[in-house]
Amino acid sequence: MSSVIAATRFSVLDRSRVREGHTAPEALRDTVDLAREAERLGYHRFWVAEHHGVPGVAGSAPTVLAAAVAGATRTIRVGTGGVMLPNHRPLVVAEQFGVLASLFPDRIDMGLGRSVGFTDGVRKALGRDKGDAEDFAAQIDELLGWFKGTSPTGVHARPPEGLTVPPFVLAMGGGADIAARAGLPMVIGDLRDRDRMRRGVDRYREQFRPSAWADEPYVVVSGTVAVADTPGQARRLLIPEAWSMAYSRTHGTFPPLPPAGRVESLAMSDKERGFYEAGLTGQLAGTEEEVERELEAVLKDTGAQEVLVTTSTYDRQALLDSYRRLAALAGLDGSAARR
Protein backbone atom coordinates (compact mmCIF):
# COMPACT_ATOMS: atom_id res chain seq x y z
CA MET A 1 0.00 0.00 0.00
CA SER A 2 1.15 3.52 -0.82
CA SER A 3 2.59 5.38 2.18
CA VAL A 4 0.70 8.56 1.25
CA ILE A 5 -2.60 6.65 1.22
CA ALA A 6 -1.75 4.96 4.53
CA ALA A 7 -1.25 8.40 6.11
CA THR A 8 -4.62 9.70 4.86
CA ARG A 9 -7.99 9.65 6.59
CA PHE A 10 -10.95 8.34 4.59
CA SER A 11 -14.52 9.44 5.27
CA VAL A 12 -17.98 9.16 3.72
CA LEU A 13 -20.58 11.73 2.69
CA ASP A 14 -23.94 10.18 1.85
CA ARG A 15 -26.58 12.41 0.24
CA SER A 16 -29.53 10.04 0.86
CA ARG A 17 -30.21 9.63 -2.84
CA VAL A 18 -33.66 8.34 -3.70
CA ARG A 19 -33.73 5.41 -6.14
CA GLU A 20 -36.35 4.70 -8.79
CA GLY A 21 -38.98 2.36 -7.35
CA HIS A 22 -38.00 3.22 -3.78
CA THR A 23 -39.16 5.87 -1.33
CA ALA A 24 -37.50 8.80 0.40
CA PRO A 25 -37.91 7.13 3.82
CA GLU A 26 -36.05 4.10 2.44
CA ALA A 27 -33.24 6.40 1.29
CA LEU A 28 -32.88 7.83 4.79
CA ARG A 29 -32.79 4.36 6.34
CA ASP A 30 -30.21 3.34 3.72
CA THR A 31 -28.06 6.24 4.91
CA VAL A 32 -28.18 5.03 8.51
CA ASP A 33 -27.35 1.47 7.40
CA LEU A 34 -24.41 2.74 5.36
CA ALA A 35 -23.12 4.64 8.39
CA ARG A 36 -23.06 1.45 10.43
CA GLU A 37 -21.08 -0.28 7.68
CA ALA A 38 -18.69 2.68 7.34
CA GLU A 39 -18.01 2.48 11.07
CA ARG A 40 -17.34 -1.28 10.90
CA LEU A 41 -14.93 -0.71 8.02
CA GLY A 42 -12.96 1.96 9.88
CA TYR A 43 -13.91 5.15 8.02
CA HIS A 44 -13.11 8.28 10.02
CA ARG A 45 -16.28 10.38 9.54
CA PHE A 46 -19.79 9.96 8.18
CA TRP A 47 -21.50 13.11 6.95
CA VAL A 48 -24.98 13.87 5.62
CA ALA A 49 -26.18 16.66 3.33
CA GLU A 50 -28.87 19.33 3.03
CA HIS A 51 -31.15 19.63 0.00
CA HIS A 52 -34.64 21.13 -0.23
CA GLY A 53 -37.42 20.29 -2.67
CA VAL A 54 -35.27 17.88 -4.73
CA PRO A 55 -37.11 14.72 -5.91
CA GLY A 56 -33.90 12.70 -5.96
CA VAL A 57 -32.54 13.62 -2.52
CA ALA A 58 -34.24 12.73 0.78
CA GLY A 59 -31.78 14.47 3.10
CA SER A 60 -33.47 17.80 3.86
CA ALA A 61 -32.73 18.11 7.60
CA PRO A 62 -29.05 17.27 8.14
CA THR A 63 -28.82 17.80 11.89
CA VAL A 64 -31.86 15.57 12.44
CA LEU A 65 -30.37 12.87 10.20
CA ALA A 66 -26.97 13.28 11.89
CA ALA A 67 -28.66 12.56 15.22
CA ALA A 68 -30.11 9.34 13.81
CA VAL A 69 -26.71 8.32 12.42
CA ALA A 70 -24.91 9.12 15.67
CA GLY A 71 -27.51 7.19 17.63
CA ALA A 72 -27.07 4.14 15.40
CA THR A 73 -23.25 4.13 15.66
CA ARG A 74 -20.74 4.24 18.51
CA THR A 75 -17.33 5.54 17.44
CA ILE A 76 -17.36 7.10 13.97
CA ARG A 77 -17.42 10.89 13.81
CA VAL A 78 -20.73 12.24 12.49
CA GLY A 79 -21.47 15.56 10.85
CA THR A 80 -22.86 17.53 7.97
CA GLY A 81 -21.58 18.13 4.48
CA GLY A 82 -23.07 20.52 5.04
CA VAL A 83 -25.60 22.68 6.76
CA MET A 84 -26.27 25.47 4.25
CA LEU A 85 -25.77 28.39 6.57
CA PRO A 86 -27.50 31.09 4.46
CA ASN A 87 -30.73 29.10 4.85
CA HIS A 88 -30.75 29.39 8.65
CA ARG A 89 -30.23 31.73 11.57
CA PRO A 90 -26.74 31.08 13.01
CA LEU A 91 -28.15 30.91 16.56
CA VAL A 92 -30.47 28.05 15.60
CA VAL A 93 -27.62 26.18 13.87
CA ALA A 94 -25.42 26.65 16.94
CA GLU A 95 -28.18 25.31 19.18
CA GLN A 96 -28.69 22.26 16.96
CA PHE A 97 -25.00 21.37 16.99
CA GLY A 98 -24.78 22.13 20.69
CA VAL A 99 -27.49 19.56 21.32
CA LEU A 100 -25.77 17.01 19.07
CA ALA A 101 -22.40 17.56 20.74
CA SER A 102 -23.99 17.25 24.18
CA LEU A 103 -25.67 13.96 23.29
CA PHE A 104 -22.66 12.53 21.42
CA PRO A 105 -19.52 14.09 22.98
CA ASP A 106 -16.35 14.33 20.87
CA ARG A 107 -18.05 12.80 17.81
CA ILE A 108 -19.80 15.70 16.06
CA ASP A 109 -18.47 17.78 13.13
CA MET A 110 -20.05 20.96 11.77
CA GLY A 111 -19.62 21.13 7.99
CA LEU A 112 -20.95 24.43 6.61
CA GLY A 113 -21.89 25.38 3.05
CA ARG A 114 -23.16 28.51 1.33
CA SER A 115 -25.81 27.21 -1.08
CA VAL A 116 -29.25 28.85 -0.93
CA GLY A 117 -31.37 26.37 -2.85
CA PHE A 118 -31.51 24.51 -6.15
CA THR A 119 -34.28 26.58 -7.80
CA ASP A 120 -35.97 29.96 -7.49
CA GLY A 121 -39.03 28.23 -6.02
CA VAL A 122 -37.00 26.57 -3.28
CA ARG A 123 -35.25 29.83 -2.43
CA LYS A 124 -38.59 31.61 -2.24
CA ALA A 125 -39.98 28.89 0.04
CA LEU A 126 -36.97 29.29 2.31
CA GLY A 127 -37.33 33.06 2.33
CA ARG A 128 -33.88 33.45 0.78
CA ASP A 129 -32.33 34.65 -2.46
CA LYS A 130 -28.96 34.20 -4.14
CA GLY A 131 -27.60 37.33 -2.49
CA ASP A 132 -27.80 35.73 0.94
CA ALA A 133 -24.76 33.61 0.07
CA GLU A 134 -22.67 36.79 -0.09
CA ASP A 135 -22.91 37.08 3.71
CA PHE A 136 -21.44 33.60 4.28
CA ALA A 137 -18.26 34.82 5.98
CA ALA A 138 -20.22 37.01 8.40
CA GLN A 139 -22.65 34.18 9.07
CA ILE A 140 -19.75 31.88 9.99
CA ASP A 141 -18.35 34.51 12.35
CA GLU A 142 -21.72 34.88 14.03
CA LEU A 143 -22.18 31.12 14.31
CA LEU A 144 -18.76 30.55 15.88
CA GLY A 145 -19.41 33.47 18.24
CA TRP A 146 -22.30 31.57 19.81
CA PHE A 147 -19.88 28.79 20.81
CA LYS A 148 -17.35 31.28 22.20
CA GLY A 149 -19.97 33.38 24.03
CA THR A 150 -19.01 36.57 22.21
CA SER A 151 -22.33 37.55 20.64
CA PRO A 152 -22.82 41.34 20.78
CA THR A 153 -26.53 40.74 21.49
CA GLY A 154 -25.80 39.82 25.10
CA VAL A 155 -27.70 36.56 24.55
CA HIS A 156 -25.99 33.30 25.52
CA ALA A 157 -26.64 30.20 23.44
CA ARG A 158 -27.57 27.06 25.36
CA PRO A 159 -26.10 24.46 25.21
CA PRO A 160 -23.43 25.36 22.59
CA GLU A 161 -21.59 28.04 24.57
CA GLY A 162 -18.30 26.60 25.80
CA LEU A 163 -18.52 23.47 23.64
CA THR A 164 -16.04 22.64 20.88
CA VAL A 165 -17.64 21.38 17.67
CA PRO A 166 -15.06 21.29 14.86
CA PRO A 167 -16.21 23.52 11.96
CA PHE A 168 -15.41 22.83 8.29
CA VAL A 169 -16.07 25.06 5.29
CA LEU A 170 -17.31 23.56 2.01
CA ALA A 171 -15.21 25.41 -0.53
CA MET A 172 -17.76 26.25 -3.20
CA GLY A 173 -16.86 29.37 -5.19
CA GLY A 174 -15.03 31.68 -2.81
CA GLY A 175 -15.22 29.19 0.04
CA ALA A 176 -11.47 28.54 0.01
CA ASP A 177 -10.75 32.20 0.74
CA ILE A 178 -13.37 32.30 3.48
CA ALA A 179 -12.01 29.12 5.10
CA ALA A 180 -8.45 30.49 4.99
CA ARG A 181 -9.33 33.87 6.51
CA ALA A 182 -11.39 32.24 9.26
CA GLY A 183 -8.67 29.68 9.99
CA LEU A 184 -10.96 26.70 9.43
CA PRO A 185 -10.50 23.28 7.81
CA MET A 186 -11.66 23.16 4.19
CA VAL A 187 -13.52 20.57 2.13
CA ILE A 188 -12.99 20.97 -1.61
CA GLY A 189 -14.21 19.05 -4.70
CA ASP A 190 -14.68 17.73 -7.18
CA LEU A 191 -12.08 15.24 -8.28
CA ARG A 192 -12.97 15.67 -11.96
CA ASP A 193 -11.33 19.11 -12.19
CA ARG A 194 -7.92 18.50 -10.65
CA ASP A 195 -6.41 21.81 -11.81
CA ARG A 196 -9.19 23.85 -10.23
CA MET A 197 -8.98 21.79 -7.06
CA ARG A 198 -5.23 22.30 -6.81
CA ARG A 199 -5.56 26.05 -7.34
CA GLY A 200 -8.16 26.23 -4.58
CA VAL A 201 -5.96 24.23 -2.20
CA ASP A 202 -2.90 26.38 -2.97
CA ARG A 203 -4.87 29.59 -2.41
CA TYR A 204 -6.25 28.26 0.86
CA ARG A 205 -2.81 27.35 2.18
CA GLU A 206 -1.28 30.64 1.09
CA GLN A 207 -3.96 32.72 2.82
CA PHE A 208 -4.56 30.57 5.91
CA ARG A 209 -4.57 32.38 9.25
CA PRO A 210 -4.26 30.22 12.38
CA SER A 211 -7.28 30.40 14.66
CA ALA A 212 -8.70 28.93 17.84
CA TRP A 213 -10.21 26.22 15.62
CA ALA A 214 -7.12 25.19 13.63
CA ASP A 215 -3.39 25.90 14.01
CA GLU A 216 -2.60 25.01 10.42
CA PRO A 217 -4.39 24.30 7.13
CA TYR A 218 -6.41 21.12 6.93
CA VAL A 219 -7.58 19.98 3.49
CA VAL A 220 -10.28 17.43 2.74
CA VAL A 221 -10.73 16.55 -0.94
CA SER A 222 -14.15 15.18 -1.87
CA GLY A 223 -15.57 13.31 -4.82
CA THR A 224 -16.72 10.02 -6.28
CA VAL A 225 -14.56 6.93 -5.79
CA ALA A 226 -15.83 3.66 -7.26
CA VAL A 227 -13.94 0.38 -6.87
CA ALA A 228 -14.94 -2.92 -8.46
CA ASP A 229 -13.58 -6.14 -9.95
CA THR A 230 -13.27 -4.64 -13.43
CA PRO A 231 -13.14 -1.13 -14.91
CA GLY A 232 -16.49 -1.81 -16.60
CA GLN A 233 -18.19 -2.69 -13.32
CA ALA A 234 -16.76 0.42 -11.67
CA ARG A 235 -18.04 2.55 -14.57
CA ARG A 236 -21.54 1.14 -14.10
CA LEU A 237 -21.51 2.48 -10.55
CA LEU A 238 -21.14 5.98 -12.03
CA ILE A 239 -23.93 5.71 -14.60
CA PRO A 240 -27.05 6.48 -12.46
CA GLU A 241 -25.59 9.65 -10.95
CA ALA A 242 -24.10 10.81 -14.26
CA TRP A 243 -27.50 10.49 -15.96
CA SER A 244 -29.34 12.21 -13.09
CA MET A 245 -26.91 15.13 -13.25
CA ALA A 246 -27.31 15.33 -17.03
CA TYR A 247 -31.10 15.26 -16.70
CA SER A 248 -31.03 18.04 -14.11
CA ARG A 249 -28.89 20.19 -16.38
CA THR A 250 -31.29 19.76 -19.31
CA HIS A 251 -34.68 19.55 -17.55
CA GLY A 252 -34.22 21.65 -14.39
CA THR A 253 -35.05 18.96 -11.86
CA PHE A 254 -32.87 16.36 -10.16
CA PRO A 255 -34.56 12.93 -10.47
CA PRO A 256 -34.21 9.71 -8.47
CA LEU A 257 -31.37 7.42 -9.47
CA PRO A 258 -32.30 4.94 -12.23
CA PRO A 259 -30.76 1.46 -12.69
CA ALA A 260 -27.65 1.54 -14.87
CA GLY A 261 -29.21 -0.89 -17.35
CA ARG A 262 -32.15 1.42 -18.02
CA VAL A 263 -29.86 4.40 -18.58
CA GLU A 264 -27.82 2.45 -21.12
CA SER A 265 -30.96 1.86 -23.20
CA LEU A 266 -32.16 5.48 -23.14
CA ALA A 267 -32.15 7.82 -26.11
CA MET A 268 -30.54 11.16 -25.21
CA SER A 269 -30.31 14.49 -26.95
CA ASP A 270 -26.85 15.63 -27.98
CA LYS A 271 -26.80 18.14 -25.12
CA GLU A 272 -27.91 15.58 -22.56
CA ARG A 273 -25.42 13.03 -23.92
CA GLY A 274 -22.63 15.57 -23.55
CA PHE A 275 -23.43 16.22 -19.88
CA TYR A 276 -23.80 12.47 -19.29
CA GLU A 277 -20.43 11.58 -20.79
CA ALA A 278 -18.80 14.42 -18.85
CA GLY A 279 -20.19 12.92 -15.66
CA LEU A 280 -18.51 9.61 -16.44
CA THR A 281 -15.05 11.05 -17.06
CA GLY A 282 -12.43 12.14 -14.56
CA GLN A 283 -13.86 10.17 -11.64
CA LEU A 284 -11.73 7.83 -9.53
CA ALA A 285 -13.19 4.57 -10.79
CA GLY A 286 -11.65 1.20 -11.59
CA THR A 287 -10.02 -1.80 -10.00
CA GLU A 288 -8.19 -1.55 -6.69
CA GLU A 289 -4.86 -1.11 -8.49
CA GLU A 290 -6.20 1.63 -10.76
CA VAL A 291 -7.92 3.55 -7.97
CA GLU A 292 -4.87 3.27 -5.74
CA ARG A 293 -2.68 4.86 -8.43
CA GLU A 294 -5.19 7.66 -9.00
CA LEU A 295 -5.65 8.30 -5.30
CA GLU A 296 -1.92 8.49 -4.75
CA ALA A 297 -1.61 11.02 -7.57
CA VAL A 298 -4.41 13.20 -6.16
CA LEU A 299 -2.98 13.12 -2.65
CA LYS A 300 0.53 13.95 -3.81
CA ASP A 301 -0.83 16.76 -5.98
CA THR A 302 -2.98 18.36 -3.28
CA GLY A 303 -1.27 17.35 -0.05
CA ALA A 304 -4.75 16.64 1.35
CA GLN A 305 -4.98 15.06 4.77
CA GLU A 306 -8.37 13.44 4.15
CA VAL A 307 -10.58 12.07 1.37
CA LEU A 308 -14.36 12.45 1.66
CA VAL A 309 -16.00 9.89 -0.62
CA THR A 310 -19.36 10.99 -2.05
CA THR A 311 -20.32 8.05 -4.29
CA SER A 312 -24.02 7.53 -5.04
CA THR A 313 -25.49 4.78 -7.21
CA TYR A 314 -28.64 2.69 -7.70
CA ASP A 315 -27.18 -0.70 -6.75
CA ARG A 316 -26.74 -0.64 -2.98
CA GLN A 317 -24.84 -3.92 -2.84
CA ALA A 318 -22.37 -2.71 -5.45
CA LEU A 319 -21.99 0.53 -3.49
CA LEU A 320 -21.26 -1.35 -0.26
CA ASP A 321 -18.78 -3.56 -2.09
CA SER A 322 -17.02 -0.47 -3.44
CA TYR A 323 -16.67 1.01 0.05
CA ARG A 324 -15.34 -2.32 1.35
CA ARG A 325 -12.76 -2.52 -1.42
CA LEU A 326 -11.70 1.08 -0.83
CA ALA A 327 -11.34 0.43 2.91
CA ALA A 328 -9.15 -2.59 2.18
CA LEU A 329 -6.85 -0.77 -0.24
CA ALA A 330 -6.55 2.13 2.23
CA GLY A 331 -5.75 -0.26 5.09
CA LEU A 332 -8.57 1.01 7.30
CA ASP A 333 -9.13 -0.68 10.66
CA GLY A 334 -11.87 -3.24 10.29
CA SER A 335 -11.55 -3.63 6.52
CA ALA A 336 -9.66 -6.94 6.60
CA ALA A 337 -12.42 -8.64 8.57
CA ARG A 338 -15.01 -7.62 5.98
CA ARG A 339 -13.18 -9.01 2.92
Side-chain angles (χ1 to χ4, degrees):
M1 178 176 52
S2 161
S3 59
V4 68
I5 292 177
T8 302
R9 289 169 167 168
F10 284 81
S11 300
V12 177
L13 166 63
D14 191 67
R15 289 176 291 133
S16 305
R17 293 289 273 114
V18 180
R19 297 178 292 153
E20 281 189 4
H22 299 265
T23 65
E26 284 181 90
L28 295 172
R29 291 192 290 270
D30 284 344
T31 291
V32 176
D33 289 342
L34 180 59
R36 293 191 187 100
E37 181 68 5
E39 179 175 73
R40 284 193 290 267
L41 291 171
Y43 284 92
H44 183 62
R45 309 179 206 276
F46 191 94
W47 283 6
V48 296
E50 175 181 339
H51 296 270
H52 300 283
V54 181
V57 185
S60 57
T63 53
V64 176
L65 185 52
V69 168
T73 54
R74 295 184 301 106
T75 58
I76 196 168
R77 296 196 65 85
V78 177
T80 56
V83 164
M84 297 301 146
L85 197 49
N87 291 338
H88 312 281
R89 292 302 308 163
L91 170 59
V92 175
V93 174
E95 289 171 338
Q96 291 171 347
F97 279 98
V99 170
L100 283 170
S102 299
L103 293 172
F104 308 101
D106 301 319
R107 290 184 59 202
I108 301 300
D109 301 321
M110 185 167 60
L112 306 167
R114 64 185 299 194
S115 173
V116 286
F118 189 61
T119 65
D120 289 338
V122 169
R123 289 189 287 271
K124 183 176 180 181
L126 291 168
R128 298 292 186 266
D129 59 42
K130 290 182 178 180
D132 289 308
E134 302 306 314
D135 296 327
F136 187 46
Q139 291 158 359
I140 289 176
D141 287 342
E142 181 181 344
L143 172 62
L144 299 182
W146 290 115
F147 289 90
K148 294 184 290 185
T150 58
S151 171
T153 65
V155 175
H156 294 272
R158 310 294 184 203
E161 187 172 312
L163 297 179
T164 299
V165 182
F168 294 74
V169 173
L170 277 62
M172 296 176 289
D177 299 329
I178 292 169
R181 288 194 296 269
L184 301 179
M186 177 186 71
V187 182
I188 188 168
D190 65 42
L191 293 169
R192 289 177 300 172
D193 194 339
R194 310 287 173 81
D195 289 339
R196 183 182 179 188
M197 177 182 282
R198 186 178 59 252
R199 289 194 301 271
V201 169
D202 290 345
R203 190 169 67 249
Y204 166 71
R205 288 204 174 100
E206 290 166 3
Q207 299 181 11
F208 184 85
R209 302 173 185 171
S211 71
W213 304 96
D215 294 330
E216 56 188 23
Y218 188 88
V219 175
V220 183
V221 293
S222 68
T224 294
V225 182
V227 193
D229 259 338
T230 68
Q233 289 173 341
R235 185 180 185 274
R236 283 180 67 82
L237 280 166
L238 307 179
I239 286 174
E241 182 79 3
W243 180 82
S244 291
M245 288 295 295
Y247 189 91
S248 73
R249 297 288 297 274
T250 52
H251 293 77
T253 185
F254 204 71
L257 292 174
R262 189 173 80 75
V263 175
E264 290 172 324
S265 66
L266 289 174
M268 301 184 199
S269 67
D270 290 343
K271 185 176 182 181
E272 190 174 9
R273 175 69 63 179
F275 286 130
Y276 171 67
E277 293 295 342
L280 294 173
T281 59
Q283 311 279 18
L284 269 62
T287 63
E288 280 92 335
E289 294 77 12
E290 291 169 332
V291 169
E292 184 174 4
R293 286 196 301 270
E294 284 291 308
L295 267 175
E296 185 174 25
V298 169
L299 292 171
K300 287 181 175 179
D301 197 29
T302 62
Q305 291 100 323
E306 187 169 341
V307 176
L308 182 66
V309 184
T310 64
T311 310
S312 296
T313 195
Y314 179 87
D315 187 333
R316 297 297 295 183
Q317 289 307 310
L319 179 66
L320 291 172
D321 183 63
S322 177
Y323 274 116
R324 289 167 185 153
R325 290 172 182 271
L326 177 60
L329 76 85
L332 304 187
D333 290 342
S335 60
R338 306 296 298 175
R339 296 288 293 151

